[in-house]
Amino acid sequence: MKYAAVIAAAGLSAESHGLKPMMCLDEEPIISKIIRGFQEVGADEIVVVTGYKSKILGNYLLSSNIHVVENTRYAETKMFDSLLLGLHALHFGYDYIFLTPTDVPLVQVSTLHAMTQARGGIICPVCKGSPGHPIMIHSSLVPHLERHNGVDGLQGALLDMKIPVTQVLVDDPGILLDVNTPEDFKRLRRTGRENTSDSQLWPDAHICIFKADVVLSPEIAQFLNMIDHTNTIQDACSCMHISYSKGWTLLKRIEKDLGYSLVERSSGGPDGGASRITARGRQLLTAYMTYQKQIRELSVPLFQQLFPPELH
């Protein structure tokens, strides 16, 4: 079997989200996390449909051998329209095609593997009775999607086909975890895959490093990662949805407190200057991310010791 995937990443992000596909989970942009999952199950072609701040996302994906298509009408169209653009861009010869938005970044690779083992026209993962993303369709159904009038989007198009849906039962809450509110994203950042149940207590180690003031925190590390991914402070600020002046002021304050530069800047070129993390800045960021990860790992057995099941 040959597989392809279409990822709808064109939507206009809410103010507090920034550019969602480029926001980081575990040091990795959401879009990369989703792409990597499809690559691990053998998708031969992956199309990402951009729209909002398409240049930033397109430049990030430029060297990753990913087919990028821009939805220039993203502000007035729906996710279904972006998926259709992605389907039109696919080459022929695939048996099945995954369809997903970037709003659901924590789907486990084991879920994708389970879906590839299933057969049927429409294949959907289900966790604890609730269907989620991604959807996988047989390529023969693409013309039916293209003829749909757009009412109720992808769900409406699939219902109109009136064919059975093959449900794949999985123990993967990630298929249901949407990034729709600022609280959703904060929760995804701190819980990852392991702690997704509201019925359980779970620890959240929020590490801040101080000098004269806070010089490293999850938010500051996110900002530095965005500079690293986009190569410009302006684009990093755009991803974080903060003003350029606020980002610049924050960076200068931290560099002053530390006594050395975190970012080196160059000017010129048709698109303006570029910014890159300095060697010392990268060393600091790596040390912080490693420290934070190890603290969280070390905190788990201590948490389990101090908070037995009867307290949950």
Side-chain angles (χ1 to χ4, degrees), residues 32-139:
S32 294
K33 216 172 186 64
I34 297 171
I35 288 171
R36 182 165 48 82
F38 290 132
Q39 289 173 332
E40 289 187 23
V41 295
D44 294 298
E45 184 178 4
I46 299 172
V47 175
V48 176
V49 184
T50 65
Y52 177 65
K53 299 191 182 297
S54 61
K55 184 178 178 181
I56 297 174
L57 187 52
N59 286 343
Y60 174 72
L61 296 172
L62 194 60
S63 61
S64 59
N65 200 30
I66 299 298
H67 192 169
V68 177
V69 177
E70 183 181 358
N71 179 0
T72 57
R73 300 176 61 242
Y74 69 88
E76 57 195 81
T77 57
K78 304 295 184 181
M79 182 188 75
F80 180 62
D81 301 287
S82 292
L83 291 175
L84 288 180
L85 284 174
L87 288 170
H88 290 158
L90 281 174
H91 295 91
F92 295 104
Y94 299 109
D95 298 290
Y96 283 95
I97 304 164
F98 287 100
L99 304 174
T100 192
T102 52
D103 291 14
V104 189
L106 290 184
V107 177
Q108 297 176 14
V109 175
S110 59
T111 293
L112 302 180
H113 274 298
M115 293 177 69
T116 63
Q117 301 305 305
R119 292 296 175 263
I122 304 170
I123 297 168
C124 176
V126 175
C127 179
K128 297 179 180 178
S130 298
H133 288 288
I135 301 296
M136 192 172 76
I137 64 167
H138 193 270
S139 58

Side-chain angles (χ1 to χ4, degrees), residues 190-191 194-195 201-205 292-308 312:
R190 65 181 181 246
T191 65
E194 292 78 16
N195 302 297
L201 298 175
W202 44 266
D204 175 24
Q292 180 175 246
K293 180 180 180 182
Q294 291 185 8
I295 288 292
R296 286 175 172 170
E297 290 174 350
L298 290 170
S299 73
V300 172
L302 180 60
F303 174 81
Q304 292 172 340
Q305 175 187 339
L306 296 175
F307 293 84
H312 286 235

